[in-house]
Amino acid sequence: MAPRRKCPVCGSKQWHKDSSSGLVACSEGHVIQASATSCHLARNFRNESGETQDLGNYTMRKRILKSGRKKSARQSRADPKLYHGERARFHYYQCLQLVLRKQIAALIALWDLPPEFETVCRDIWGLHLTLLPRPPPAEPYHHMREQRGSDSDTGDTKPSLDNPKESRSDDDDPQSSSSSSEEEDPELAELLRENSELSSSDEEKDHTSQKQGVQSNYRFVSAYDRPVNCIAVLVVACWTMRLPVMYKDFIDVIESYELPYLDFLRLLSSDMTCHLTKHAVRALSPHFAPSTLYIHRFASRLAKLMYANYGVFTPGLNASPVLWRVVQQCLGGTPTLYGLAKRLGYILSLPLTLHHSLSPTLRRIAPDDPDIHMYDNIPPELALVATAIVVLKLVYGLDGKLRLPRDVKDPASALPEVRGYLSAFRIMGEADDRHNEKRFSSKVSMPTGDMDLATIDEFLDFCERVLIKSQRGESDQQILDNYFPLSTESGGARLEAIAPHSIIGGLSATKINVGETTVLQPGESYTIYHSRDVLGNLPEEQALIITRSAKWVGVSDDYLCEVVERFERRLRRWYYKERRREKEKEESEGERLFDGVKD
């Protein structure tokens, strides 16, 4: 293409051809005379219309950008009442701490605990905050005012707490010399507003990335910031004071709404809840009570870190009363079963601590060793239940085959007869379904049409306490007059739960086998069932024991079977080790006697 010609008037090289007249004009509007050169230009340049109304949006936008006018600031649509960023985390922990104080007061009243329990909980809560992966920040507003006050004396420049990326100098602040009696700092309020907008956008991005399955670097709360950690603090405090509590004790009072945990936002004042975002409200609103393994996970971690970082040792479980509760309430056993389970627990070397690393007598075993303590970091009451089940299998077999002791000195002769015991154990399970305190929890489906009059009265009492008393604080007579004006004299009598000892206590003892050589003895022909055998089924007797025990502890049947199998294999290794030791001892004694005879 030939070089473009300059306009003889202005020297412009930009030409266009008018579609209406056919004339070629430069960018300034000078028309060139028709000639061969103009025809050449007309062929090499585009046809354009000279009318202004045909200009596109791009040209108009280009002119606006070149105007040099300053763009107006973006107006925030965030709610000014809601807290974001580090300020929101601090306020979130204020809510958690208030709920923890209410939980401490509730436990002191429920379990008649000494006032020192609150002091122990407060100290453990302080340690818990320092051991978090992201500890809560200092109070933003007052901390910044103190920081700015110290900066005015030293002349140093420190970053803002709410927005660590920003740093401000007091020399640049026109209001740094104002009186300290002012309640509002306009520049500080502006910084907080900007930080709220940035934090709000970050939370929205984080929420979007979680929906898309993308792991975000920022989360408002992690697993260690959730309300279950308050329960973990209470558990560690009870262990510190050597209280014989179990995880099911906390779960029971949570599901009965006696311990503030479910829907506890209604217990907070509106001055606190009005600043919570939807993410904070979701984190502070657990729908179900935590499981046994979930509470143990955080309580175990807290006890381990307290000892590793500060040397604060959490004592072991007060095992004797807890084992008796397991034997008497869960298995309906007798003192004989208690003694046998205690002896077997000693043989199995159960580390009855919150974390297995806190056990001073636990042997350190290589990971590839078959005797590895795989299930030593389980909830202690679960370990005691599994130990007692192993004892029952040693005595009764629980495989459909009868086992009778042949000697009066055998401890099995002091236990109830197997058929009567299993029948009573089945009645205990049915009594739990009818009279258990958990039957009104959100996990249990109980149609009102299937309730009898006594159960309906108990359900109304439960609703009255949870939905009305806890919110209004009214007296019983006021509640009855306002919400239940009908007379309650015709109500049915309350059914009392059947105590396990009242069922087991009247059973006859196991008979002594005299002369029957075909009947197995206790501990003979012991069967270990593989917990991972998905195609196999447990015998009916053992499945009955496993199902109710797992429900009582708060774990699944499969998990309890895994623990029982692990303890059984550990007991088997101990048995053969003892047999080899006795054989070696007999051989050494025989060799010594032979040497004496030879001499």
Side-chain angles (χ1 to χ4, degrees):
M1 179 172 39
R4 296 185 179 183
R5 180 183 177 184
K6 294 183 179 180
C7 177
V9 179
C10 62
S12 175
K13 291 185 179 182
Q14 298 181 2
W15 304 90
H16 67 273
K17 180 180 180 182
D18 193 348
S19 59
S20 59
S21 61
L23 299 177
V24 178
C26 68
S27 60
E28 300 297 332
H30 301 115
V31 180
I32 193 172
Q33 299 295 328
S35 61
T37 304
S38 64
C39 295
H40 174 75
L41 291 174
R43 289 193 303 269
N44 288 277
F45 295 95
R46 59 187 180 187
N47 296 331
E48 294 181 2
S49 176
E51 299 180 2
T52 306
Q53 63 182 2
D54 292 338
L55 294 178
N57 295 331
Y58 178 78
T59 305
M60 297 177 66
R61 289 181 181 175
K62 187 175 182 181
R63 290 177 182 176
I64 293 175
L65 292 175
K66 288 184 177 180
S67 64
R69 291 185 298 177
K70 187 177 180 181
K71 185 179 179 180
S72 59
R74 181 174 64 90
Q75 297 295 329
S76 174
R77 293 179 293 178
D79 189 348
K81 293 183 180 180
L82 301 180
Y83 291 164
H84 300 276
E86 295 300 304
R87 191 181 186 187
R89 276 182 54 81
F90 177 82
H91 184 69
Y92 174 84
Y93 269 94
Q94 279 187 317
C95 297
L96 275 185
Q97 184 166 300
L98 180 58
V99 171
L100 177 62
R101 295 180 62 182
K102 293 181 178 293
Q103 291 174 343
I104 294 172
L107 284 185
I108 291 177
L110 284 173
W111 296 346
D112 194 19
L113 302 179
E116 290 78 11
F117 179 73
E118 182 177 2
T119 305
V120 176
C121 291
R122 181 187 60 191
D123 295 341
I124 296 176
W125 174 253
L127 295 177
H128 164 69
L129 295 181
T130 60
L131 294 172
L132 289 173
R134 286 182 59 208
E139 204 285 328
Y141 183 76
H142 298 290
H143 177 75
M144 182 172 292
R145 289 179 66 89
E146 295 174 359
Q147 191 178 38
R148 292 183 60 197
S150 61
D151 290 348
S152 62
D153 298 334
T154 60
D156 296 335
T157 301
K158 295 183 179 181
S160 168
L161 178 63
D162 276 345
N163 195 354
K165 296 182 181 180
E166 296 185 4
S167 60
R168 298 177 58 249
S169 174
D170 289 340
D171 297 335
D172 301 333
D173 189 358
Q175 298 183 4
S176 60
S177 60
S178 60
S179 174
S180 61
S181 61
E182 295 180 357
E183 296 182 0
E184 291 293 337
D185 189 342
E187 190 167 352
L188 177 59
E190 180 66 18
L191 287 175
L192 293 176
R193 185 189 64 80
E194 294 177 0
N195 179 67
S196 298
E197 295 176 6
L198 294 174
S199 301
S200 178
S201 61
D202 292 340
E203 290 183 8
E204 292 296 333
K205 292 179 181 179
D206 178 68
H207 183 63
T208 304
S209 63
Q210 289 181 4
K211 284 185 176 181
Q212 296 175 354
V214 180
Q215 183 69 25
S216 175
N217 295 328
Y218 172 77
R219 287 185 180 181
F220 179 72
V221 291
S222 65
Y224 304 106
D225 301 321
R226 298 191 178 277
V228 68
N229 291 275
C230 295
I231 307 299
V233 170
L234 298 176
V235 170
V236 177
C238 290
W239 278 60
T240 303
M241 299 185 66
R242 298 283 293 165
L243 299 177
V245 297
M246 298 184 294
Y247 293 115
K248 71 178 298 291
D249 298 330
F250 295 92
I251 298 175
D252 290 344
V253 293
I254 287 175
E255 292 185 340
S256 62
Y257 287 82
E258 295 175 331
L259 183 68
Y261 184 85
L262 301 174
D263 193 23
F264 60 71
L265 283 180
R266 56 191 171 87
L267 302 177
L268 303 179
S269 62
S270 58
D271 296 338
M272 300 188 70
T273 56
C274 66
H275 302 299
L276 298 174
T277 61
K278 61 180 181 180
H279 304 286
V281 171
R282 187 182 302 114
L284 291 172
S285 302
H287 299 291
F288 302 101
S291 64
T292 298
L293 297 178
Y294 196 59
I295 300 177
H296 179 69
R297 168 190 170 188
F298 296 100
S300 175
R301 170 191 174 272
L302 179 58
K304 179 187 68 173
L305 294 181
M306 285 171 51
Y307 182 72
N309 292 272
Y310 299 106
V312 179
F313 180 77
T314 304
L317 177 69
N318 194 353
S320 296
V322 175
L323 177 59
W324 174 244
R325 291 183 58 188
V326 167
V327 171
Q328 195 260 352
Q329 297 178 9
C330 177
L331 300 174
T334 61
T336 303
L337 179 60
Y338 169 85
L340 294 176
K342 186 175 182 180
R343 173 59 180 168
L344 182 59
Y346 177 78
I347 293 175
L348 297 177
S349 300
L350 300 180
L352 301 177
T353 55
L354 271 176
H355 194 270
H356 64 85
S357 61
L358 303 178
S359 178
T361 59
L362 183 64
R363 295 189 300 113
R364 300 299 183 263
I365 302 176
D368 56 347
D369 195 306
D371 198 22
I372 183 175
H373 295 267
M374 179 177 180
Y375 288 96
D376 279 341
N377 202 36
I378 59 177
E381 59 262 34
L382 176 59
L384 296 177
V385 168
T387 303
I389 291 177
V390 174
V391 173
L392 291 177
K393 289 189 63 177
L394 287 171
V395 174
Y396 297 129
L398 301 179
D399 55 358
K401 299 178 182 179
L402 181 62
R403 287 169 175 80
L404 296 177
R406 297 180 181 179
D407 191 354
V408 181
K409 297 180 180 180
D410 194 327
S413 61
L415 292 176
E417 192 266 334
V418 59
R419 294 184 179 85
Y421 172 76
L422 294 176
S423 178
F425 193 87
R426 188 176 291 105
I427 296 175
M428 289 166 54
E430 296 174 356
D432 288 342
D433 297 336
R434 292 196 305 267
H435 311 293
N436 190 9
E437 296 178 356
K438 295 182 181 180
R439 64 189 183 281
F440 298 138
S441 66
S442 56
K443 297 181 181 180
V444 179
S445 177
M446 179 180 291
T448 55
D450 298 339
M451 298 182 182
D452 53 11
L453 294 179
T455 307
I456 291 178
D457 289 340
E458 294 179 1
F459 179 69
L460 293 178
D461 293 340
F462 174 80
C463 296
E464 172 189 335
R465 177 174 55 82
V466 172
L467 302 178
I468 302 176
K469 278 187 178 181
S470 58
Q471 294 185 1
R472 301 177 60 91
E474 298 176 339
S475 63
D476 295 342
Q477 189 60 39
Q478 289 175 336
I479 294 173
L480 292 176
D481 295 339
N482 295 333
Y483 299 95
F484 303 96
L486 298 179
S487 175
T488 59
E489 296 179 356
S490 59
R494 297 173 60 92
L495 295 178
E496 299 295 336
I498 303 177
H501 60 81
S502 63
I503 299 178
I504 304 298
L507 299 178
S508 59
T510 303
K511 298 180 180 180
I512 304 298
N513 182 19
V514 180
E516 292 289 339
T517 57
T518 58
V519 179
L520 300 176
Q521 301 183 52
E524 187 178 357
S525 181
Y526 191 93
T527 305
I528 299 178
Y529 296 92
H530 203 298
S531 58
R532 296 185 180 180
D533 184 9
V534 294
L535 300 179
N537 295 321
L538 291 175
E540 181 180 357
E541 297 87 349
Q542 186 173 346
L544 176 64
I545 302 293
I546 291 291
T547 300
R548 184 178 186 274
S549 301
K551 185 178 180 181
W552 189 84
V553 178
V555 297
S556 64
D557 296 358
D558 294 337
Y559 191 83
L560 180 56
C561 287
E562 292 177 3
V563 178
V564 171
E565 179 194 357
R566 177 64 59 175
F567 287 179
E568 289 172 337
R569 297 189 182 280
R570 187 181 303 177
L571 176 62
R572 179 178 179 272
R573 287 190 292 270
W574 172 87
Y575 174 73
Y576 284 110
K577 186 184 299 183
E578 290 295 322
R579 288 189 60 181
R580 287 194 301 269
R581 185 178 304 173
E582 292 179 359
K583 185 177 180 180
E584 293 174 357
K585 183 179 179 180
E586 292 177 357
E587 291 178 354
S588 62
E589 291 180 354
E591 291 178 358
R592 187 166 57 251
L593 292 175
F594 178 77
D595 293 339
V597 172
K598 183 177 180 181
D599 293 341

